Amino acid sequence: MSDAARIAVLASGGGSNFQALVDRFRPVADREIVGVIASREGAGVLERARRAGVASAVPPAGAAVAPAGAAGGEMTTFLLRTLDEWRSDIVVLAGYMKLVPEPLVRAYRGRILNIHPALLPSFGGRGMYGARVHRAVIEAGVRITGATVHFVDEAYDRGPILCQWPVPVLAGDTPEAVAARVLAVEHRILPAAVEALASGAVRLEAERRVRWVREWFDTETFTNREG
Ligand code: GAR
């Protein structure tokens, strides 16, 4: 992928990662956050979208998801149609707590990213989201957690990893303290990863291989070396 990129976001919560994307790309001529799909009415991300002047959409209440392997389903149709209307090139799951329907994964394979608040493949999978992740991290006694951006495939948190960044777990930490420390890193790593994909610095190849086309990610500053 290269040139102009139209970036759509899926989110369920407060939307601080959505905000980080808006802040990063608003000043960039050929990057546009074209819209956010919130998984429910009342999600904080919708208010952020309104303030930023970004389009938003919410699936019809009770929209059914087709069973795995089956085509269609009201939810799938809604998501695909909305992303298509926005002419989305890249889809970003920024705190999206639902499983992405398979047809959407297929339609956007290699162009759909997720941010997870831990170092995958640890502390991921079904039921591992938000505060539960950080609670599990503390209970396991690990001293390092972090943030992961990965390509989305058909299973929760399993897709090929694009980039990660570590965060220490400190003595006496609460899940809230770890969450805040990790979130600050998410706000830097997610826009960086999206820019890498949009600019063609990284791509998904066959056999789940992630290829960095050129050295791009500055591990000291989280910035694009090309400026
Ligand atoms: C973030 O920490 C994100 O990594 C996490 O939800 C939070 C959303 O915060 N996502 C998951 O746990 C997905 N498994 P935000 O709404 O402020 O961006």
Side-chain angles (χ1 to χ4, degrees):
M1 219 169 296
S2 59
D3 303 327
R6 298 175 60 80
I7 301 155
V9 177
L10 271 59
S12 300
S16 69
N17 277 293
F18 164 78
Q19 190 71 52
L21 292 168
V22 167
D23 294 346
R24 168 69 173 80
F25 292 116
R26 196 166 15 210
V28 183
D30 54 1
R31 306 277 179 265
E32 189 181 347
I33 306 295
V34 291
V36 59
I37 300 177
S39 52
R40 58 179 178 84
E41 293 288 356
V45 71
L46 290 169
E47 176 57 21
R48 288 188 190 267
R50 198 190 57 74
R51 268 190 269 128
V54 171
S56 63
V58 178
V65 181
E74 204 182 346
M75 179 67 104
T76 305
T77 307
F78 172 84
L79 293 174
L80 283 172
R81 200 187 48 224
T82 306
L83 294 173
D84 192 52
E85 272 169 18
W86 290 340
R87 289 179 288 119
S88 314
D89 300 309
I90 292 175
V91 177
V92 183
L93 310 188
Y96 188 64
M97 305 309 181
K98 307 254 181 212
L99 188 64
V100 177
E102 284 178 18
L104 201 148
V105 172
R106 280 198 297 277
Y108 287 91
R109 196 176 305 277
R111 300 187 291 144
I112 177 166
L113 301 180
N114 178 46
I115 179 115
H116 185 76
L119 294 178
L120 293 175
S122 295
F123 305 108
R126 191 181 188 83
M128 273 292 188
Y129 56 83
R132 294 179 184 208
V133 176
H134 306 300
R135 218 173 292 128
V137 159
I138 290 171
E139 275 167 18
V142 298
R143 303 309 313 269
I144 297 178
T145 181
T148 301
V149 180
H150 64 94
F151 288 100
V152 173
D153 72 3
E154 287 78 358
Y156 280 110
D157 302 328
R158 186 193 64 184
I161 291 170
L162 192 148
C163 55
Q164 300 184 295
W165 196 255
V167 172
V169 181
L170 305 178
D173 259 347
T174 59
E176 294 72 26
V178 177
R181 205 174 297 127
V182 171
L183 203 54
V185 166
E186 292 183 48
H187 296 162
R188 299 167 73 183
I189 200 173
L190 182 60
V194 172
E195 176 56 25
L197 183 62
S199 68
V202 69
R203 64 171 183 255
L204 182 66
E205 299 190 329
E207 306 298 331
R208 302 171 56 83
R209 188 200 303 268
V210 174
R211 180 175 296 278
W212 284 89
V213 177
R214 51 184 180 273
E215 194 53 53
W216 174 86
F217 192 73
D218 187 316
T219 53
E220 291 295 317
T221 63
F222 291 90
T223 55
N224 181 339
R225 286 173 191 272
E226 294 160 351

